[in-house]
Amino acid sequence: MTTDAGQDWDAAAYGQRFGFVAQLAEDLVGLLDPQPGEHIVDLGCGTGTLTAQIASRGAEVLGIDADPAMIEAARAAYPALRFEVVSAYDFAADAPIDAVFSNAALHWMTRPEDVLHRVAAALRPGGRFVAEMGGGRNTELVSAAIRDALARRGIPPERQARPWYFPTPAEYATLLERHGFEVRALWHFERFTQLVPGDHALADWLTMFASPFTGDLTAEDRAAFHAEVEDATRHALYVDGRWHVDYRRLRFVAVRI
């Protein structure tokens, strides 16, 4: 996935422990409603699970991701489909396409106007942009615990990594309109998400998704950091013997005008 803050991806672990990211967005493919023969780009395709679902509807789909390990995993899983290592900031279509799709990737792209410029340029007039991303207040409890644990290590908020972009509905709708889109539908909703079972499932989540915050820590201190975040959030996120994450999602359907 295109990221701006040194995020490292373990594609194998992502597929094994975080498959719910794609599973919870399967109905997003329904909103896209891909048609046979349409040309569609899956932006930030990861390991290609949803790319394959789009292709199963008969569309010609290209999955792109900035992370080579993700693309390698996607190609291995779906050898009949097309995948390319391309950043969202650089991708361009050879000819206008019918739709751009994206799930759980846009919030890693902290230059949203640059991304929207590329998406608008790739779409034909009337082309669709259908996506889901982290929205305003996404992972609020986890993020607060991360900030506090870093502050205790002498890293004040102004020096902490900012790898995520979680816009409010009004903010992102404004950006879409600024770049020539008409917003047809937009939802902002809570999704309190259960992680794969395990006493340290939240630490696994931090290892996968929050590595930009801990890049300067030693391995020993990183383990202590994860434990502190778990302790700070246990009262709210450890429910019925399972770890959860306090997601809030922003989902939209927009059309290029």
Coordinates of all heavy atoms in Angstrom, one line a residue, residues 22-23 34 48 50 53 60 250:
A22 N -10.2 -7.2 4.2 CA -10.9 -7.4 2.9 C -12.3 -8.0 3.2 O -13.3 -7.6 2.5 CB -10.1 -8.3 2.0
Q23 N -12.5 -8.9 4.1 CA -13.8 -9.6 4.3 C -14.8 -8.6 4.7 O -16.0 -8.7 4.3 CB -13.6 -10.6 5.4 CG -12.8 -11.8 5.0 CD -12.4 -12.7 6.2 OE1 -12.9 -12.5 7.3 NE2 -11.6 -13.7 5.9
P34 N -19.2 -3.8 -10.5 CA -18.4 -3.9 -11.7 C -19.2 -4.7 -12.8 O -19.9 -5.7 -12.5 CB -17.2 -4.7 -11.3 CG -17.6 -5.4 -10.0 CD -18.6 -4.5 -9.3
G48 N -4.6 -8.6 -3.0 CA -5.4 -8.9 -4.2 C -6.8 -9.6 -4.0 O -7.5 -9.9 -4.9
L50 N -9.8 -8.5 -3.0 CA -10.9 -7.8 -3.6 C -10.7 -7.6 -5.1 O -11.7 -7.5 -5.8 CB -11.2 -6.5 -2.8 CG -11.6 -6.6 -1.4 CD1 -11.8 -5.3 -0.7 CD2 -12.9 -7.5 -1.2
Q53 N -12.3 -10.5 -6.6 CA -13.7 -10.4 -6.6 C -14.3 -9.5 -7.7 O -15.3 -9.8 -8.3 CB -14.2 -9.9 -5.2 CG -14.0 -11.0 -4.1 CD -14.7 -10.6 -2.8 OE1 -15.7 -9.9 -2.8 NE2 -14.2 -11.1 -1.7
E60 N -12.3 -6.0 -16.4 CA -10.9 -6.1 -16.6 C -10.2 -5.2 -15.5 O -10.4 -4.0 -15.6 CB -10.5 -5.5 -18.0 CG -11.1 -6.3 -19.2 CD -10.4 -7.7 -19.3 OE1 -9.2 -7.7 -19.0 OE2 -11.0 -8.6 -19.8
L250 N -14.9 5.6 6.7 CA -15.5 6.5 5.8 C -15.6 5.8 4.4 O -14.6 5.4 3.9 CB -14.6 7.7 5.6 CG -15.1 8.9 4.8 CD1 -16.3 9.5 5.4 CD2 -14.0 10.0 4.6

